[in-house]
C-alpha cells in the first residue's frame, strides 16, 4: 500500500461518530458522556446489563431520542438535531432489527419486510413484494411464508422476518437490538450466523447491542461495554478475555460477585 493510501485509510471519516453524548430522564442520568467511532464496514457490539442505556444509545443515533449534549455524526454530517427531510435522508441509510422483532400483525409477512422499500424508498408494491420474497429467501424462509401473518410464525421465524426487513433496502448501516433475546441457543446461533452473513454480503456497518456474550463474540469486530452511562472498555473481540478490566470480566463470566453491584430490593 502506498503512503498516500495508508494516510487516506487512517483519515477516513468514521461511518458513525459519537462525542460526549449525554442523556438523562429527569434526575436519572442514562448516558453520561459516550464517545465512540465506528469505521465503515466495521461491526461493533455494545454489551451491558439490562437498563444500562443500550437501547437509549441506539435510539439517540437514530434520532428517536435527542441527546441533552454531545454530538452524533453519520458520514461526517452532524445529525444530532436534524429533523424533517434531513432526518429522513439520514434514516434511509439504516436498517434496524428491533428488540422482539416488532412486526406489524395487521400486515402480511411480505409487507412487513417491504415496509422500508415502500415507505422510505418509494418502491412500487409489485416490485417491493418481489424483493421482499427474495430477501426472505436470503434468511432461509420460503415464499409461502410471505402471505402469512407474523402471529402465525414461531419466534425464530419472526426474528428471520425482522432480519429480512432490516436488510431489504440494502442499508449502509444496520442496527441490531438484542437480536437473540428470547431464542433457544441453537436458534440464536442460526440468527448470529445469518447476521454475520448478511452484514458481510451487504458490506454494511453494523452496531448491535446485546447481553448475550455468545452472540457478541460471533458478530463483533470490536466490543464496547456500557456501564453507568460510560463506555468503560472498548477493544477488539480477540481481547475480551484479556481486557484486564474487572467489570468486563465479571460481565462476560456472568458472576454475581464483583465490582458490578446489581440493584436488588431488600425485603
Ligand atoms: N423514554 C424514556 N423515558 C424515561 N426513561 C427511559 C426512557 N427510555 C429509557 N428510559 C430509562 O433509561 C434506562 C435505560 O434504558 P434502556 O436503554 O432501554 O436499557 P437497556 O440497556 O436494557 O436497553 C432505563 O432505566 C429506562 O427506564
Ligand atoms: Mg434494550
Amino acid at each position: 500500500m502506498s503512503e498516500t493510501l495508508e494516510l487516506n485509510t487512517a483519515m477516513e471519516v468514521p461511518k458513525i461518530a459519537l462525542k460526549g453524548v449525554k442523556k438523562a430522564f429527569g434526575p436519572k442520568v442514562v448516558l453520561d458522556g459516550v464517545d465512540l467511532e465506528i469505521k465503515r464496514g466495521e461491526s461493533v457490539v455494545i454489551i451491558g446489563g439490562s437498563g444500562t442505556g443500550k437501547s437509549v444509545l441506539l435510539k439517540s443515533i437514530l434520532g428517536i431520542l435527542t441527546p441533552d449534549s454531545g454530538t452524533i455524526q453519520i458520514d461526517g454530517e452532524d445529525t444530532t438535531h436534524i429533523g424533517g427531510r434531513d432526518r429522513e435522508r439520514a434514516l434511509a441509510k439504516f436498517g434496524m432489527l428491533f428488540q422482539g422483532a416488532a412486526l406489524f400483525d395487521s400486515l402480511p409477512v411480505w409487507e412487513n419486510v417491504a415496509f422500508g422499500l415502500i415507505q422510505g424508498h418509494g418502491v412500487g408494491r409489485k416490485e417491493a413484494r418481489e424483493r421482499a420474497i427474495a430477501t426472505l429467501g436470503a434468511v432461509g424462509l420460503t415464499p409461502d411464508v410471505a402471505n402469512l401473518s407474523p402471529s402465525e410464525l414461531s419466534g425464530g421465524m419472526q426474528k428471520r422476518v425482522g432480519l429480512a426487513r432490516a436488510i431489504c433496502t440494502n442499508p449502509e448501516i444496520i442496527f441490531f437490538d438484542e437480536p437473540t433475546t428470547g431464542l433457544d441457543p441453537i436458534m440464536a446461533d442460526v440468527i448470529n450466523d445469518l447476521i454475520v452473513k448478511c452484514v458481510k454480503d451487504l458490506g454494511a456497518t453494523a452496531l448491535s447491542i446485546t447481553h448475550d456474550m455468545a452472540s457478541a463474540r460471533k458478530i463483533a469486530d470490536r466490543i464496547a461495554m456500557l456501564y453507568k452511562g460510560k463506555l468503560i472498555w472498548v477493544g477488539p473481540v480477540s481481547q475480551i478475555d484479556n481486557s484486564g478490566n474487572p467489570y468486563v470480566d465479571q460481565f462476560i463470566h456472568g458472576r454475581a460477585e464483583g465490582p458490578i453491584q446489581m440493584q436488588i430490593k431488600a425485603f
Side-chain angles (χ1 to χ4, degrees), residues 54-55 99 177-178 209:
K54 302 184 298 299
S55 293
Q99 201 163 354
D177 190 347
E178 307 275 2
I209 61 184

Side-chain angles (χ1 to χ4, degrees), residues 17-23 31-36 67-72:
L18 310 182
K19 291 196 186 94
V21 172
K22 294 193 181 187
K23 180 71 184 175
L31 302 177
D32 194 15
V34 171
D35 298 301
L36 181 67
D68 301 325
S69 59
T71 59
I72 294 164

Side-chain angles (χ1 to χ4, degrees), residues 30-140:
V30 177
L31 302 177
D32 194 15
V34 171
D35 298 301
L36 181 67
E37 287 193 354
I38 304 174
K39 289 195 277 289
R40 186 156 53 87
E42 191 180 26
S43 172
V44 172
V45 172
I46 296 178
I47 58 171
S50 299
T52 49
K54 302 184 298 299
S55 293
V56 168
L57 189 62
L58 283 199
K59 287 175 185 166
S60 301
I61 301 172
L62 292 171
I64 298 168
L65 293 170
T66 307
D68 301 325
S69 59
T71 59
I72 294 164
Q73 293 185 349
I74 299 167
D75 288 321
E77 179 194 5
D78 188 334
T79 60
T80 323
H81 299 285
I82 62 171
R85 277 173 191 259
D86 288 333
R87 176 61 70 189
E88 278 174 29
R89 185 176 37 76
L91 283 178
K93 295 178 183 178
F94 286 84
M96 171 89 205
L97 177 59
F98 292 97
Q99 201 163 354
L103 302 170
F104 300 111
D105 270 334
S106 56
L107 297 177
V109 163
W110 79 264
E111 267 194 82
N112 271 279
V113 174
F115 195 79
L117 286 178
I118 297 170
Q119 298 298 325
H121 294 255
V123 176
R125 286 177 65 82
K126 189 166 177 293
E127 188 195 332
R129 189 172 191 281
E130 282 162 14
R131 284 174 63 179
I133 288 173
T135 312
L136 286 168
V139 300

Side-chain angles (χ1 to χ4, degrees), residues 113 117 128-141 160-161 163-170 198:
V113 174
L117 286 178
R129 189 172 191 281
E130 282 162 14
R131 284 174 63 179
I133 288 173
T135 312
L136 286 168
V139 300
L141 293 173
R160 287 181 196 239
V161 173
L163 181 57
R165 180 174 58 186
I167 64 173
C168 199
T169 60
N170 293 337
C198 292

Side-chain angles (χ1 to χ4, degrees), residues 141-217:
L141 293 173
T142 49
D144 53 299
V145 170
N147 289 324
L148 298 178
S149 157
S151 60
E152 295 177 82
L153 306 179
S154 68
M157 286 169 90
Q158 289 180 356
K159 280 282 186 208
R160 287 181 196 239
V161 173
L163 181 57
R165 180 174 58 186
I167 64 173
C168 199
T169 60
N170 293 337
E172 297 169 31
I173 305 167
I174 315 184
F175 283 180
F176 300 101
D177 190 347
E178 307 275 2
T180 56
T181 299
L183 299 179
D184 67 64
I186 294 171
M187 185 50 73
D189 203 44
V190 170
I191 295 293
N192 287 333
D193 285 340
L194 272 175
I195 287 174
V196 172
K197 181 181 176 298
C198 292
V199 169
K200 202 178 282 171
D201 287 352
L202 288 173
T205 305
L207 178 60
S208 314
I209 61 184
T210 188
H211 51 245
D212 172 357
M213 278 313 297
S215 180
R217 286 175 190 277

